[in-house]
Amino acid sequence: MKYMDTVELIAERDTYTKEGVHKGMQGWICNEEKINNSWLVNFPQCGEKEDIATLGVKEKDLKIVPSMNAIINEQIKEQFGD
């Protein structure tokens, strides 16, 4: 993985959910270096809406996806009532 890769969260962990980020959400790596096997990932929403979160995510909890779709993030967020 590298800076600007688009990724999907493949694990549900308390450290992510307390920030409103859930398994299946998509984001992009927004730092050039990983720290302690974690990448800084931004999870956006569509248009002018505020981002859901930007947080450190363990590399093992991410998979690279060909493109990001913020609509998926909004749908998942709605399911959890975040």
Side-chain angles (χ1 to χ4, degrees), residues 27-62:
W28 62 282
I29 295 175
C30 57
N31 195 13
E32 293 185 11
E33 296 180 25
K34 68 178 173 180
I35 300 170
N36 296 326
N37 290 317
S38 294
W39 291 100
L40 189 63
V41 180
N42 174 266
F43 294 91
Q45 295 189 82
C46 294
E48 299 296 317
K49 295 179 185 171
E50 235 180 81
D51 293 339
I52 295 168
T54 300
L55 66 146
V57 179
K58 294 184 181 300
E59 186 171 57
K60 69 179 183 177
D61 294 341
L62 296 169

Side-chain angles (χ1 to χ4, degrees), residues 2-81:
K2 64 186 182 317
Y3 176 63
M4 298 291 290
D5 277 350
T6 53
V7 293
E8 180 178 314
L9 185 65
I10 59 171
E12 187 86 4
R13 298 190 190 279
D14 289 342
T15 54
Y16 309 145
T17 58
K18 74 178 183 181
E19 300 294 329
V21 177
H22 301 277
K23 182 178 179 180
M25 287 188 169
Q26 298 180 352
W28 62 282
I29 295 175
C30 57
N31 195 13
E32 293 185 11
E33 296 180 25
K34 68 178 173 180
I35 300 170
N36 296 326
N37 290 317
S38 294
W39 291 100
L40 189 63
V41 180
N42 174 266
F43 294 91
Q45 295 189 82
C46 294
E48 299 296 317
K49 295 179 185 171
E50 235 180 81
D51 293 339
I52 295 168
T54 300
L55 66 146
V57 179
K58 294 184 181 300
E59 186 171 57
K60 69 179 183 177
D61 294 341
L62 296 169
K63 74 173 183 180
I64 295 176
V65 293
S67 63
M68 183 180 58
N69 186 347
I71 292 171
I72 291 170
N73 294 351
E74 292 182 9
Q75 292 169 341
I76 293 170
K77 181 179 177 183
E78 189 176 300
Q79 289 174 8
F80 286 92

